Amino acid sequence: MSTKAHEYSAPQPSSAANGRVASVTRPHPGAMRGFRGFLGRYFYFSMSLLMAVLGVWAFSHTVDVRLLHAKPPRPLLLWFHSAVFSAWIAVFVAQSSLVRLHKVRVHRTLGWFGAALALLMVVSGFVVSIIMIRFETTVLRQNVASFLSILWCDLIIFGACMALAIYFRKRPEYHRRLVFLANCQLMQAVFVRFHYLGHHALYFPALDVLIVLGMLRDLIVDGRVNKIYAYGFPAIIVLQSLSTYLQRGNPSWWQAATQMILR
């Protein structure tokens, strides 16, 4: 008897039972295709909105007492850096929106403004980090000099990712992921303002969750993780770990380095 005959001669469960088993053991193919399609089209746009909402929520709890009505008043350069940071978030959301609307020409034009803004972010970030750490150690009498490693880690990762994003601007599969990684690292400044995350130094793990979501998106949509994540995420973890060690361990050589920098 043929194999096909054997297949049909075996007893089969009822069609109702088959339907129940199928619904329990695997999702409906149409639902999976819809979810995969949503992630493929809207993941980065959705994440840009999420980051913007988290940023607004976090800074709304600190901007009044730490900037607008701070006593003593904060250095004026902090106001400038805050404005640049806010503008960057707005550009990030706008660029993600333009991609979804297929306004590629406008996206590329605004991209050069974004590149200049990113450079300004890095330069002002290094300057402001030194000024603010010096302000907090000398005026507020807080021993936070070692935290400079965290701030510089953010700037180095953000700057490197954005430089590579500009280099790969004609390869969207690399470009969009590098911009995403750059913005994920900026979320340290957001998550540190969440009391529990900031108090327990969990800002890096929190932002790494966002990166993992990007990797999961690739697995679901493309069936594999893009090499930008495969190479970039381990490098980011190494830099985060080093900066955390310097901030928490504060070895003598780092103390000497920060004292020299803050003079």
Side-chain angles (χ1 to χ4, degrees):
M1 187 180 292
S2 68
T3 303
K4 182 176 290 188
H6 278 298
E7 290 175 356
Y8 285 110
S9 65
Q12 299 294 323
S14 67
S15 59
N18 278 334
R20 287 195 297 271
V21 171
S23 64
V24 172
T25 56
R26 62 179 182 273
H28 192 279
M32 272 307 297
R33 284 195 296 270
F35 180 61
R36 188 181 296 114
F38 175 82
L39 289 179
R41 291 189 297 270
Y42 297 107
F43 174 79
Y44 292 105
F45 173 66
S46 300
M47 293 302 291
S48 70
L49 292 179
L50 175 63
M51 291 181 188
V53 169
L54 289 174
V56 170
W57 189 88
F59 281 97
S60 68
H61 288 74
T62 61
V63 69
D64 186 62
V65 296
R66 295 187 184 180
L67 183 63
L68 299 179
H69 300 98
K71 295 180 181 180
R74 297 317 190 246
L76 288 177
L77 194 57
L78 181 61
W79 290 73
F80 173 77
H81 182 68
S82 300
V84 172
F85 183 91
S86 301
W88 171 258
I89 296 299
V91 168
F92 179 46
V93 174
Q95 287 290 74
S96 300
S97 304
L98 289 170
V99 170
R100 284 298 91 231
L101 295 172
H102 304 290
K103 303 291 186 180
V104 177
R105 182 175 298 179
V106 181
H107 174 85
R108 290 175 177 172
T109 302
L110 184 60
W112 287 114
F113 172 75
L117 196 61
L119 177 61
L120 191 58
M121 282 269 292
V122 174
V123 173
S124 67
F126 276 111
V127 175
V128 169
S129 65
I130 295 174
I131 290 175
M132 289 308 302
I133 293 293
R134 185 186 295 144
F135 176 84
E136 295 192 23
T137 55
T138 58
V139 178
L140 302 182
R141 302 297 180 182
Q142 296 178 358
N143 185 20
V144 294
S146 64
F147 197 75
L148 196 64
S149 65
I150 302 295
L151 301 178
W152 283 15
C153 174
D154 295 339
L155 294 169
I156 290 170
I157 294 174
F158 174 81
C161 287
M162 286 307 303
L164 288 171
I166 295 169
Y167 180 79
F168 288 116
R169 63 189 180 276
K170 294 183 179 180
R171 300 191 62 175
E173 71 277 13
Y174 292 170
H175 176 80
R176 67 169 64 99
R177 289 169 176 84
L178 286 163
V179 174
F180 176 67
L181 286 175
N183 282 277
C184 285
Q185 189 62 41
L186 284 186
M187 291 298 289
Q188 182 280 135
V190 172
F191 287 132
V192 75
R193 286 167 169 79
F194 286 71
H195 179 73
Y196 183 86
L197 298 178
H199 183 72
H200 294 87
L202 294 175
Y203 32 80
F204 282 158
L207 71 86
D208 289 340
V209 169
L210 301 179
I211 299 176
V212 171
L213 290 178
M215 298 169 69
L216 289 175
R217 178 263 179 207
D218 278 7
L219 283 174
I220 295 172
V221 176
D222 304 323
R224 60 182 177 82
V225 174
N226 189 278
K227 63 176 64 176
I228 291 297
Y229 291 127
Y231 297 142
F233 192 36
I236 288 173
I237 293 294
V238 169
L239 289 173
Q240 290 176 349
S241 301
L242 175 60
S243 65
T244 300
Y245 163 71
L246 293 179
Q247 188 265 322
R248 297 176 72 87
N250 200 18
S252 57
W253 67 267
W254 180 239
Q255 294 179 37
T258 54
Q259 289 177 5
M260 182 176 64
I261 293 169
L262 297 174
R263 284 177 183 171

